Amino acid sequence: MGECSVRPIVVNQVGYPLRGEKLAVFTGGSHQFRVVEEATGAVVLEGVSGPARFDVSCGATLHTGDFSELTAPGRYRIEQVDGAASAVFSLAERPYHELQQGLLKAFYYYRCGVTLTEEFAGPWAHQACHTAEGRVHGNELLVQDSAGGWHDAGDYGKYSGPGAKAVADLLLAYELYPSSFESAIPLPESDGVMLDVLHECKVELDWLFKMFDPATGGVFHKLTTLKFPGLDVMPEDDRAELYFSPVSAAATGDVAAVMALAARIYEPFDHVYAEKCLQAALRAWEWLERHPQVPGFVNPPDIVTGEYGDAVDTDERYWAAAELLRTTGEEKYHTAVQELAQLDYPKYSLGWADMGGYGTLAYLLRGETIADAALYATLKEGLLAEAARLMEQSAADGYRISLREEDYIWGSNMLVMNHALLLLAAEHVSGDRRYAACALDHLHYLLGRNVLDISYVTGFGDQSVRHPHHRPSVGDGVEAPVPGLVAGGPDRGLHDEYVVEHLQGKPAAQCFADHELSYSTNEVTIYWNSPAVFVAARFNLLK
Ligand code: G3I
Ligand code: 9MR
Ligand code: ZN
């Protein structure tokens, strides 16, 4: 495959709930359309799409057709007289249930250090990987246990900050929508007592404990080999030496925050574990206090794996303070939040570099009655203003999402899902359901209602990503990619050789290639999956 082209009729390929708005987007000249039952070819609805307009990000003239009137469960496609047809999609009760399960199961496939057994991984089973101890870079006589956690992405690096973002999204999803997580995935740990989402997050938290520098209490930025292995190397065959990169303030702040969050979430199930998380959070916080000003992380010269450089660490400190406040109730963290909130950095952004949004959410979710009234009001207004901006941008967009042309960056699908998460947070604090409707439009985009007619989630949708830049999917000899993985999506910066050669001059939203060589558009990561789990959890119960 590789290059993807503009398609005449696009829908959410997974489908739509029986009730509520159902829209398809058209690029052809004709405005007449009909909905056809897949099995019988029977026309079940005829309609006319609205006025056409040109969309700059997509480089196409678009119009929207409404088929909300159709409410009978089934499998359908949309057709036009000139022969154009959409992907097949379902109308069903709870159409996003399996999707949510699959997006969460993806984290099992990302597990490192354990055998993925056939019982749980099917054809994607593989041997345990990366079980060796890691060397502390710069102090190479020091070696320590480094096993476990999740691989970051299509590469096998493990990075503290991105890992913390992924866990935070999953724990917040559980906190806001616990009943969406009731069915077992299942996982090897499924026990009917603690939900699988919490079992899965424990995998990463257990590894994050190992990322502490025993000497200082700071958190190592990452654990990787010196360079990336070849694209077809299976995880268990990647046996190069593993190195802990130096401690960074960003990683230490992120881990302080996520450990404080975890301490709260796990307390009802396992007091000892919750206490261990809290002690880790306190350790990391103390490091931050002792290091008020430190330069941002840069890769040591001999390490060329993902850098995740982040020069600004006030947002991570703010998030850590807000989570510690929420978990312990101690006044000193309230003072820290109040001070850090005065500084200038994005307060409604959800990472991986700009984590301030999580601090804001922690403060707002803690509750109004115990908050500093002025700060609470400022942050709530700010959140709703940002949500309003996203709604406005979405209303002006041909596919109803909030990305501006310049937002089609490396990992643009993370922005799509982060924005949806933020809209849902706005719904949560305001009770206004219009934010959720806009968030759902973002899910429709991810699952195929986009200019390329592609579902960016492997294994979900009639025309989903088939060739992700994901080493196990390339190396395992199985035709289908590992399922449930969210691809990065269009990146107008054309950041790899494949897209430089094939996509010159394309409009922003078309700068995507379903090709295994395109690491800047078609890689997958844990922190692109995690906000998608949050969004799917909100809509899992829709009928
Ligand atoms: O923020 C700027 C924005 O202001 C500017 O307008 C825009 C123009 O290109 O760039 C934005 O920065 C981009 C940044 O991501 C935003 O998050 C950079 O161009 C872009 O190069 C950078 O890409 C990161 C990429 O690593 C390269 O460093 C991705 O976010 C990040 O997700 C990705 O992470 C990799 C890891 O290194 C290794 N593991 C896989 C993972 C996913 O590909
Ligand atoms: O394969 C690597 C991918 O997993 C990383 O996310 C990406 C980050 O920059 O880098 C990829 O490796 C490429 C390297 O950066 C440049 N040379 C080609 C490599 C891919 O084959
Ligand atoms: Zn591994």
Side-chain angles (χ1 to χ4, degrees):
M1 196 186 168
E3 280 169 76
C4 306
S5 54
V6 175
R7 303 267 307 183
I9 313 174
V10 297
V11 294
N12 178 333
Q13 297 170 13
V14 168
Y16 300 81
L18 301 180
R19 289 171 276 283
E21 187 181 59
K22 303 174 195 79
L23 303 177
V25 179
F26 300 82
T27 53
S30 165
H31 285 245
Q32 312 279 334
F33 70 89
R34 52 180 187 248
V35 186
V36 173
E37 200 175 34
E38 185 198 14
T40 61
V43 176
V44 293
L45 188 88
E46 289 184 292
V48 181
S49 57
R53 58 178 170 179
F54 185 73
D55 184 291
V56 179
S57 302
C58 303
T61 300
L62 308 173
H63 36 112
T64 302
D66 191 324
F67 58 102
S68 308
E69 258 174 64
L70 184 64
T71 55
R75 301 268 300 155
Y76 304 96
R77 68 161 57 92
I78 297 179
E79 294 179 353
Q80 288 179 315
V81 274
D82 60 4
S86 75
V88 175
F89 58 94
S90 299
L91 294 195
E93 290 203 339
R94 302 192 65 188
Y96 311 124
H97 175 68
E98 276 174 42
L99 172 77
Q100 188 208 316
Q101 299 281 106
L103 289 166
L104 183 55
K105 174 70 182 280
F107 290 85
Y108 170 77
Y109 292 116
Y110 275 120
R111 286 188 191 186
C112 181
V114 289
T115 304
L116 302 191
T117 62
E118 230 179 281
E119 184 186 354
F120 294 97
W124 301 286
H126 68 77
Q127 296 306 306
C129 53
H130 307 107
T131 49
E133 293 186 308
R135 278 179 201 285
V136 175
H137 189 269
N139 183 6
E140 267 131 64
L141 296 178
L142 190 61
V143 290
Q144 67 183 59
D145 181 11
S146 77
W150 303 316
H151 299 137
D152 178 57
D155 68 300
Y156 302 133
K158 294 185 279 188
Y159 307 80
S160 303
K165 168 177 165 52
V167 173
D169 290 335
L170 298 183
L171 294 183
L172 287 171
Y174 162 75
E175 192 186 0
L176 264 62
Y177 314 116
S179 49
S180 291
F181 289 93
E182 270 164 15
S183 331
I185 297 298
L187 300 174
E189 298 80 5
S190 300
D191 58 8
V193 179
M194 195 166 81
L195 296 179
D196 280 353
V197 61
L198 301 188
H199 284 299
E200 195 55 59
C201 286
K202 224 165 162 240
V203 167
E204 185 73 351
L205 290 162
D206 285 344
W207 171 74
L208 283 170
F209 292 133
K210 302 181 182 179
M211 291 305 283
F212 277 82
D213 175 2
T216 66
V219 175
F220 294 123
H221 194 75
K222 61 181 202 170
L223 176 94
T224 70
T225 49
L226 294 177
K227 57 184 176 61
F228 292 118
L231 190 54
D232 61 354
V233 175
M234 286 299 283
E236 62 270 37
D237 299 325
D238 178 34
R239 294 177 184 279
E241 195 86 59
L242 292 162
Y243 288 87
F244 291 92
S245 280
V247 166
S248 74
T252 307
D254 284 333
V255 170
V258 81
M259 286 293 174
L261 167 59
R264 208 163 61 237
I265 300 280
Y266 287 88
E267 177 60 37
F269 303 98
D270 185 344
H271 172 68
V272 174
Y273 193 73
E275 190 56 30
K276 188 175 172 191
C277 293
L278 182 59
Q279 291 309 319
L282 295 174
R283 242 182 129 205
W285 178 258
E286 283 155 18
W287 185 96
L288 293 169
E289 284 191 317
R290 288 197 307 276
H291 298 82
Q293 273 192 332
V294 270
F297 178 82
V298 285
N299 266 337
D302 54 338
I303 297 187
V304 299
T305 48
E307 183 164 73
Y308 291 114
D310 184 1
V312 179
D313 60 42
T314 37
D315 50 333
E316 285 83 7
R317 291 171 191 264
Y318 167 65
W319 180 31
E323 293 290 0
L324 278 161
L325 168 64
R326 196 170 171 211
T327 299
T328 67
E330 280 179 35
E331 204 41 44
K332 68 171 181 177
Y333 300 115
H334 206 171
T335 309
V337 172
Q338 287 162 314
E339 283 171 12
L340 286 159
Q342 301 312 312
L343 306 177
D344 187 29
Y345 50 84
K347 304 247 170 21
Y348 308 98
S349 175
L350 300 170
W352 47 264
D354 295 321
M355 300 292 278
Y358 293 98
T360 298
L361 291 187
Y363 196 73
L364 293 176
L365 292 174
R366 178 169 176 254
E368 189 167 4
T369 51
I370 45 175
D372 165 341
L375 179 58
Y376 187 93
T378 306
L379 293 176
K380 183 174 170 183
E381 273 165 36
L383 173 65
L384 298 183
E386 177 62 4
R389 182 187 77 76
L390 297 176
M391 296 257 285
E392 215 171 285
Q393 184 61 37
S394 303
D397 181 76
Y399 294 93
R400 298 190 161 221
I401 60 157
S402 53
L403 298 198
R404 299 158 298 185
E405 201 180 0
E406 64 268 31
D407 293 329
Y408 289 88
I409 56 172
W410 191 322
S412 60
N413 282 338
M414 177 183 80
L415 289 186
V416 174
M417 288 295 105
N418 279 357
H419 289 182
L421 196 166
L422 207 86
L423 287 160
L424 294 172
E427 180 201 29
H428 190 82
V429 303
S430 70
D432 187 339
R433 293 203 165 201
R434 281 173 303 177
Y435 296 119
C438 187
L440 183 53
D441 280 329
H442 287 66
L443 190 63
H444 293 329
Y445 167 95
L446 189 77
L447 296 168
R449 205 175 71 188
N450 53 57
V451 70
L452 299 175
D453 191 20
I454 190 158
S455 163
Y456 289 112
V457 184
T458 58
F460 287 85
D462 212 18
Q463 302 180 76
S464 56
V465 164
R466 299 281 305 170
H467 307 288
H469 184 88
H470 177 242
R471 285 172 174 75
S473 294
V474 175
D476 62 8
V478 179
E479 198 187 329
V482 169
L485 308 180
V486 174
D491 171 14
R492 73 206 272 256
L494 302 184
H495 285 115
D496 65 62
E497 301 78 352
Y498 184 89
V499 295
V500 164
E501 190 179 333
H502 293 89
L503 301 181
Q504 287 299 338
K506 292 270 190 198
Q510 294 186 40
C511 291
F512 172 81
D514 182 15
H515 196 286
E516 63 191 33
L517 291 179
S518 181
Y519 54 85
S520 68
T521 74
N522 207 26
E523 193 164 359
V524 295
T525 77
I526 51 173
Y527 56 89
W528 299 338
N529 259 78
S530 57
V533 170
F534 184 102
V535 175
R538 166 64 180 81
F539 299 114
N540 181 347
L541 300 174
L542 281 189
K543 291 193 176 160

